[in-house]
Amino acid sequence: MTEETLTPTDKASANPAIRESHLSQVNSVTPSFIPLIPMMVFFVLFLGTGIYYTLDGVEQAFYQLPAPIAVLPAIALSILLAKDSLEKSIGHLIAGMGDKNIIAMCLIYLLAGAFGALTTQIGAVAAVVNLCLDLIPASFILPGLFLIASIVSFSMGTSMGTLAALAPIGMGLTESLQVSPALVAGILLSGAMFGDNLSVISDTTIAAIRTQGATAADKLKQNARWAVPAAVITVILYSIFADGGEAVEIKDYQWYNLIPYAFILGLALFGWNVFVILTIGIVVAIVVGLIGGSFAGDSGVAVTMYQGFSSMQEIFLLSMLVGGLGGLIKAQGGLVWLVQKISGLFGVAKSQLRAKLALLSTTAVTNLAIANNTVSIVLTGDVTHELARKNNISPKQSASLVDIGACSIQGVLPYGAQCLLLGSSFSISPLAPGQYAWYLPLLLVIALAGTIKTKQPED
């Protein structure tokens, strides 16, 4: 949602004139709290409905009112509260929906969805899981499960897809190892959030780099400096609970099904554009699938790709609608008011550390309300970008911080998609997985500690 998104060749060094132009546009409106009321209405509708259905015993309670529908009354209220004419307000709405960052994210969502569907169809996900099980000793199964979830999530770019794929394996482990289902669910949750947070094709990464003007490779390297130590400590802690284990059945897999993931990872590390990375990954997955005969019958290439597109429908619509609401709020002075309040709360003009705390807390608090880490990053994109710019925080650091803030909270929310899925899969309370998702608080602590030592941006 930033006014100026930088390409990998632009980096984030930026044309000062462009940045000053953006700042003048932001500061040209009168700060006001009133424009933020519609967003609060969205929060109340989404949360209130979820709480109501939870108390009523309805499964997947927080998804009975789809978020793209919940945001529509907020948009209508924002237009009614605007002092501008109806035509001008609609113009702000359309401009926000058509922001190049929003459109870019939506296109990337489609590409990522197609890639995920293709790799699942050709057996790449199953190959990753079984390869990891093949390499991990039975006595290391519990911490090994964290590693498997991490690798699968990093490869797929989705924590939800990872949890859906690995939950059956986790359930089998609880029976064979006689361990707590909540512990296994927490281990899977930790690994899934670790991989999702780092993955270059994750929707949270896409949102973070687009709103902060970073590149996928730079964000990956910066994020890894904090995430990897947290993961290592997590593996050590989980190892304490691994008092031996029984062998897990390993199914047959073909090594060539891993090739699409190898391309994705390799190209990302070389700093290629995310559009190019995903396009090449899709082509490679198609070639591998055609050679292996994975697209026979009703599972043709076109059908599989469209299924991938369809899987991104909710986040696609929600990103555009939230972008439109954000355009209205920004035009009416709501974002300027929010920036000023957050700046005053953390005293960011006096301390870069406090500015980084503000970046973390902005997405974290927002995600606490809406239980969607991607939307939290998109929604606060203008605010966090301005905080980072004013305090000379490099785009790769700000992208990592906003992603960490949102993901750390998302993973432990009992009304979040991840805990709800695990609660249903393991027949446990959605509160239970968060108790054992030790990686998430460790990530927050290490990220905060890392910001203390970080000097001026290298970009």
Side-chain angles (χ1 to χ4, degrees):
M1 289 172 65
T2 55
E3 290 290 330
E4 188 64 29
T5 298
L6 304 174
T7 64
T9 52
D10 292 329
K11 293 292 183 180
S13 54
N15 182 332
I18 293 177
R19 290 303 186 195
E20 289 304 317
S21 174
H22 169 66
L23 183 59
S24 64
Q25 292 174 18
V26 172
N27 292 332
S28 63
V29 296
T30 303
S32 173
F33 169 75
I34 300 298
L36 295 172
I37 293 177
M39 187 56 64
M40 298 171 64
V41 169
F42 170 50
F43 294 164
V44 170
L45 277 175
F46 186 69
L47 284 175
T49 303
I51 293 172
Y52 170 79
Y53 281 115
T54 298
L55 295 176
D56 203 35
V58 177
E59 293 185 3
Q60 300 293 312
F62 281 86
Y63 298 92
Q64 296 303 308
L65 176 63
I69 301 301
V71 77
L72 293 179
I75 291 176
L77 179 59
S78 183
I79 293 175
L80 288 174
L81 292 176
K83 297 179 180 179
D84 297 320
S85 64
L86 177 62
E87 291 76 12
K88 198 168 184 179
S89 294
I90 293 176
H92 292 314
L93 172 69
I94 295 174
M97 294 175 66
D99 180 271
K100 66 180 181 179
N101 292 286
I102 298 295
I103 297 301
M105 282 188 290
C106 288
L107 290 175
I108 294 172
Y109 293 154
L110 293 180
L111 291 174
F115 178 76
L118 288 168
T119 50
T120 299
Q121 179 63 34
I122 68 176
V125 175
V128 171
V129 172
N130 287 287
L131 173 64
C132 293
L133 288 174
D134 196 10
L135 298 175
I136 297 172
S139 60
F140 195 67
I141 284 296
L142 287 183
L145 190 61
F146 170 85
L147 297 178
I148 293 173
S150 299
I151 295 171
V152 172
S153 184
F154 183 85
S155 302
M156 294 179 67
T158 165
S159 57
M160 286 297 292
T162 299
L163 294 175
L166 297 183
I169 294 177
M171 276 299 297
L173 288 175
T174 61
E175 298 172 1
S176 62
L177 300 179
Q178 295 298 305
V179 295
S180 166
L183 172 60
V184 175
I187 291 173
L188 285 176
L189 178 59
S190 289
M193 297 307 293
F194 169 71
D196 191 5
N197 179 229
L198 282 182
S199 177
V200 295
I201 62 172
S202 166
D203 50 2
T204 58
T205 292
I206 293 166
I209 63 177
R210 297 299 297 184
T211 58
Q212 303 303 311
T215 68
D218 284 344
K219 191 262 187 186
L220 171 61
K221 294 172 185 175
Q222 176 64 54
N223 215 150
R225 295 176 185 175
W226 299 327
V228 172
V232 170
I233 297 174
T234 302
V235 169
I236 294 173
L237 291 176
Y238 285 145
S239 297
I240 298 174
F241 292 87
D243 299 326
E246 300 179 12
V248 178
E249 180 184 359
I250 302 172
K251 298 180 181 180
D252 293 334
Y253 61 92
Q254 302 297 330
W255 65 268
Y256 56 77
N257 285 332
L258 301 169
I259 294 177
Y261 291 138
F263 268 88
I264 285 285
L265 177 56
L267 294 177
L269 293 176
F270 278 109
W272 284 40
N273 182 283
V274 67
F275 285 100
V276 177
I277 293 173
L278 286 171
T279 300
I280 292 177
I282 287 172
V283 172
V284 173
I286 291 174
V287 172
V288 171
L290 290 174
I291 294 175
S294 301
F295 298 118
D298 296 332
S299 301
V301 173
V303 172
T304 301
M305 290 183 65
Y306 188 73
Q307 289 173 346
F309 290 167
S310 300
S311 70
M312 292 291 178
Q313 175 179 309
E314 181 174 1
I315 191 64
F316 185 102
L317 292 174
L318 188 56
S319 292
M320 290 193 68
L321 292 172
V322 167
L325 180 58
L328 287 166
I329 293 174
K330 181 171 66 174
Q332 297 168 24
L335 287 177
V336 176
W337 182 89
L338 189 58
V339 169
Q340 291 179 352
K341 291 300 178 182
I342 293 177
S343 299
L345 178 64
F346 286 91
V348 295
K350 301 178 182 179
S351 167
Q352 194 181 73
L353 173 60
R354 291 183 180 181
K356 292 172 181 176
L357 287 171
L359 291 175
L360 273 170
S361 63
T362 300
T363 53
V365 171
T366 303
N367 194 77
L368 188 66
I370 64 175
N372 189 307
N373 43 357
T374 303
V375 176
S376 299
I377 295 170
V378 173
L379 183 62
T380 59
D382 279 317
V383 175
T384 52
H385 179 75
E386 278 303 302
L387 286 170
R389 190 200 66 82
K390 286 181 179 180
N391 292 275
N392 297 318
I393 299 172
S394 66
K396 65 181 180 182
Q397 289 183 17
S398 61
S400 297
L401 289 169
V402 298
D403 198 348
I404 289 172
C407 288
S408 296
I409 295 298
Q410 176 68 23
V412 298
L413 289 179
Y415 50 88
Q418 290 77 6
C419 284
L420 288 172
L421 173 62
L422 289 170
S424 175
S425 299
F426 285 81
S427 299
I428 57 177
S429 166
L431 287 167
Q435 300 174 24
Y436 294 97
W438 299 330
Y439 165 75
L440 297 173
L442 283 170
L443 176 62
L444 273 178
V445 171
I446 291 177
L448 289 173
T451 60
I452 297 175
K453 298 181 180 179
T454 303
K455 298 181 180 179
Q456 292 295 328
E458 300 171 0
D459 303 290

